[in-house]
Amino acid sequence: MPNVVLVGAQWGDEGKGKLIDVLTAQADVIARFQGGNNAGHTVKIGGDKFILHLIPSGILHKGKVCIIGNGVVVDPQALLKEIDELAAKGVSVDRNLFISEACHIIFPYHRKLDLLKEAKMGALRIGTTGRGIGPAYMDKFSRSGIRLVDLLDRNVFKRKLEAALAEKNQIIEKIYGEKPISHAEIFEPYCGYADRIRKFSANTSVILNEALSQNKNILFEGAQGTLLDIDFGTYPFVTSSNPTAGGACTGTGVGPTHIDRVIGVAKAYTTRVGEGPFPTEFDEKLAARVREEGGEYGATTGRPRRCGWFDAVMLKHSIDVNGIDSIAITKLDVMDILPKIKVCTGYKHNGTVYKTFPLNIDVLSASEPVYEEFDGWLSSTKEIKRYDDLPANAKRYLARLEGLMGVKIKMISVGADRGETLSLESIF
Ligand code: IMP
């Protein structure tokens, strides 16, 4: 297998966890490169359901090396909880999980500031997951963050935490009128987390580059999705990292010359959690039906997801900014219940039809989608194992999506289980 980056081509929750799980069988190393425990990757294996937030889903395969790259922000408490939950289900991470010592750490003041800011913004809130992701990346980019390597040294950690709290408590007290957070509240518990995490910490760029020199292959596991990208998403209604393919390099320390393929994952329709524009959003009645059929509730926060039609303009944007060379379509089976299906092929704004995705969210919000309409297939696709056996209308729909995107659909998923995947041709 070549070295592959797998990205979400919509607003996250495209079913990447399942695809990663399927592809992991062929990979040697699986690496996360951005985001944190805002992600929630659901993998179903037989009767077991795993929800992974920080640890690459590759951990569910024996003998694979799993990396949490430097671009990820790590909440140690959440990480240890995940490790313990995996252990309780018989999955050990002891020998194959490595965490970059350059990862920035999420602290309670990040979570608190995330929630306080959202509450203060009222109607203008982003609808974050409240996991402290934005504030942790703010510290990273303002060069005042605390990295794993700092956390592992009691003296350095003590000093850096004092400096961080001196600033954060001013903000917490003076801007938000809330109680400050004490040094003691964080220091000892976090030293305890550090003791448990120490054995996983490493210079993961070295591990990855050594693997490459031994001709091993890497699967880069994107979290969130392209439209949540800080640069290419619906800013400011985005996350604070680069879920796009370029992030795989900066977030792991592997150079672009080593990336061979980029796979984009898209649902057969669209969903979004949190606030922000969503041109193809269903009315509430249809949204409620599709949400129930597709189990569209956040894997991390349990929030109901907003649902809408497939947006080919958005997909074209994703394909461009990621360099996507093959597409996996997920949750086709959810559309089994729909008599009519629409696809957005353009945006109408002030009399002009746009075929490219506007980065100005005011234009996006005010745009009317231009739709093509298809007949549904109204029969179950769940048990289908071969593309040829799909209903004719489903094939027609997929062929049109492919035509609009200009990139081949190489995998289709018709259910949450590993086995419910149709491979049209090898991704590689
Ligand atoms: P944050 O990443 O918690 O700061 O949230 C920013 C935006 O990204 C919000 O709209 C969240 O709902 C969204 N978001 C963050 N992580 C995910 C994810 O894994 N799936 C879908 N949406 C996400």
Side-chain angles (χ1 to χ4, degrees), residues 11-14 16 36-41 114 118 126-135 223-225 228 236-240 272-276 300-301 303 305:
W11 275 294
D13 307 319
E14 297 90 351
K16 295 180 292 295
N37 61 320
N38 48 350
H41 290 167
D114 192 355
E118 284 281 279
I126 290 163
T128 72
T129 59
R131 301 294 189 265
I133 306 295
Q224 288 85 46
L228 289 171
F237 299 98
V238 292
T239 191
S240 299
R272 145 161 237 178
V273 225
E275 308 304 318
T300 299
T301 57
R303 289 182 290 176
R305 295 179 185 142

Side-chain angles (χ1 to χ4, degrees), residues 22 26 54 74 118 154 164 303 306 337 402:
V22 169
Q26 301 171 59
L54 266 169
V74 174
E118 284 281 279
R154 260 183 100 88
R303 289 182 290 176
R306 299 158 67 191
I337 55 163
E402 205 171 69

